[in-house]
Structure formats: C-alpha cells, structure tokens
Amino acid sequence: MVFSFFRGNKPSLLQTGPGGQSRSHVLDRAEMSIGRAANADIVVDDPFLAPIHARIEKQSDGGFIIRRMGLNPIMLRGEALLQTASLKTGDSFRLGKDVEFQFVEKAPTKEAPKKEAAAKADDGKPKKPLFKQPAFLAGMGLVYLAVVGIIGYVILSGGGSTEAGPTAERINAESARIPTCIKNARRMRQVSEQSFNGAVGGRVGRDGDVTYAALALSTEPADDAALAKAAEPIVEAYKRTALAALASENRGNNTLAQSLYQQTYDLVPDVNCSAARFALQRRAATKPPARR
C-alpha cells in the first residue's frame, strides 16, 4: 500500500487498522508509546492491545528503535520481536489482531525525468507504463482471484483459527489457566513494573474480595496448590459469568452477552492471559452493528 500523507520529511509511523482506517503519526518526541490507554502517545482503540503495548524510542544517532513492553506480542518484519529492534525505512510491525504500522523517514524523491528517459527503448519510442501492459494486468488478475479464493476459504472454514470457539468446554479450559496467569503476571512484575502496570488492570475490589490484581501484586501464596485455592473464587466467578454470556450469545441477545463478556474480562483483567483474551474476543464478536 502506498501512502500519500507524509508530514514533510519527518520520521513517521503510518498506521493501518483497526477496521481498515489509516492514520499518520509524526515521531517528534524522544519516546512515544503505543497502546489502548488514554494516556498513550498513539492511542489505538483495539481490545487486543495492552494499555501500553510498545514504545518507539529515538537514539542518539538519530535512529529509532521499537521496544516491546512486557510480554505483549509484536510481529516485526514477519517475525516475533523479543525485546527491542532498530527500525529501518519501510519496516512494518503488527500489534494485536489487525493493527499494522510502517516506519518511514522521508517522502520518496522525485525521479520522474530519469524514469521517462529510461522508458524509451532502443527504437526511441516511450514504453507503456507497467500498469497498462497486458502481461502485468493478467498477472494482477490472477493475484486478485487467488486472494478472493483465500478469503472465501477462510470465511467458510470459520476464520482459520486454531483456537476452539465459544463453548462450555473452552470456558472451563480457560478458567483452569487463571492460576497460571497469576504466576506469569508475578514474574512479569519482577522483570518490569511498568510492563506489569500496562498489562494488568483492576487494582481495587470491594472490601474482602479476592481480585486477580491483588493476587498478582502479592507474593503469597507461593506454592501452586495454595495459589489455586486462593484463586478459586475468581475461577468460579469467571466460569459463571462466561457461561451466562455464552447462553445469551446463543439466544441471540448480543447486547446482554457483550455486557457479560465485559464482566468476565473484568474478573481477569490481564491482556497476557488467554482467559482474558477469550473474553475480549467474544465481547468484540457480539458487539451490535453500528446504526446508520
């Protein structure tokens, strides 16, 4: 895709998604954060992103690097980013499900006169532009048909997801992973308090309530059996709420289902936990269509 909305020659990020929207962000500060939090420098309204998902940092030599915040997944040049990497002009990286950024440093230079001169063949006649040549048009037609076929296959096969759909078995499996998610959140906090704060929400509960964040912030109980016991109220509440949401979804009451899936996520507010991502995924899937 070619973008035409560069702001001068300043380094920028060209954003595509969510929902097919396109935006441009000038990198005019030493550090710029990306996430769904309202205080992020680049706010992306996507439930699959962490509040602070990534950060772009300017180096002393004028270059830029991308830094992964916590365990939030980032695909850079088609490969998973481990921690940090330098950005080169044209590099693309993907966050969440369908949000992509392209790093550009300056607008392309004008080389039209050179191209016109080179386009004149040995016979001295200008060649047709590439997009008007029959061979190119035929090739693009084949590519188009292939893309349409792939999209049709993905739609008919249920999106090609390797994860199970919204079933009671899936909900039971996700709820069983909650104690492990708490352990992983504790490890993240030991590595980076900032990453922990960006991934885990829901700090305050009612008096006497055991919350996911409270267990993640604590070092006790330490052994697996005791932690599983302490997390039982959260696990049971997660199952009850998610099953109620599933029942509403199956009855076609998406408004109630979406509200219940939000309550399910609020019980496990950790974007790195698969139980939380399941709730966010179903909340997005049951979102009522926008009124025209």
Side-chain angles (χ1 to χ4, degrees), residues 5-247:
F5 41 90
F6 293 95
R7 300 183 183 179
N9 286 335
K10 295 181 179 179
S12 305
L13 289 180
L14 308 180
Q15 174 188 343
T16 304
Q21 64 175 322
S22 297
R23 299 165 60 194
S24 176
H25 309 278
V26 174
L27 301 176
D28 53 3
R29 276 172 278 180
E31 293 183 356
M32 293 189 68
S33 57
I34 305 173
R36 59 182 172 84
N39 62 343
D41 297 306
I42 299 176
V43 179
V44 182
D45 184 17
D46 187 330
F48 292 94
L49 266 67
I52 301 297
H53 201 101
R55 192 168 65 207
I56 307 299
E57 301 174 3
K58 188 173 183 179
Q59 303 299 288
S60 58
D61 60 0
F64 288 83
I65 65 169
I66 179 173
R67 181 180 301 277
R68 184 174 74 147
M69 305 303 292
L71 302 177
N72 305 319
I74 299 174
M75 297 297 292
L76 173 64
R77 309 184 200 107
E79 297 182 356
L81 176 66
L82 296 179
Q83 190 61 44
T84 62
S86 299
L87 290 175
K88 302 176 183 178
T89 297
D91 277 350
S92 294
F93 58 92
R94 180 179 291 270
L95 312 179
K97 195 172 183 180
D98 63 350
V99 180
E100 187 166 332
F101 290 87
Q102 184 181 28
F103 175 69
V104 293
E105 291 188 282
K106 61 182 179 180
T109 56
K110 296 181 179 180
E111 297 182 354
K114 292 183 180 179
K115 291 183 179 180
E116 290 178 2
K120 293 187 177 181
D122 295 337
D123 56 5
K125 296 180 180 179
K127 291 183 178 180
K128 288 183 178 180
L130 180 62
F131 61 85
K132 290 186 178 180
Q133 295 181 16
F136 175 78
L137 294 175
M140 290 302 297
L142 292 174
V143 172
Y144 174 79
L145 291 175
V147 171
V148 170
I150 292 172
I151 292 174
Y153 172 78
V154 170
I155 292 174
L156 292 175
S157 62
S161 174
T162 57
E163 292 187 337
T167 63
E169 290 77 12
R170 172 76 186 279
I171 290 170
N172 287 331
E174 294 296 352
S175 64
R177 298 187 181 105
I178 291 175
T180 301
C181 289
I182 295 172
K183 287 172 59 179
N184 292 337
R186 288 176 174 179
R187 294 192 190 102
M188 182 198 297
R189 186 168 177 242
Q190 292 175 350
V191 174
S192 171
E193 184 80 24
Q194 185 176 9
S195 298
F196 176 88
N197 292 335
V200 180
R203 293 290 182 273
V204 180
R206 293 175 297 182
D207 290 342
D209 282 355
V210 176
T211 66
Y212 182 96
L215 287 176
L217 284 165
S218 175
T219 58
E220 298 293 337
D223 64 279
D224 292 351
L227 178 59
K229 184 70 176 176
E232 275 184 3
I234 301 171
V235 172
E236 293 303 317
Y238 179 95
K239 285 196 288 189
R240 287 196 305 270
T241 311
L243 288 171
L246 175 61

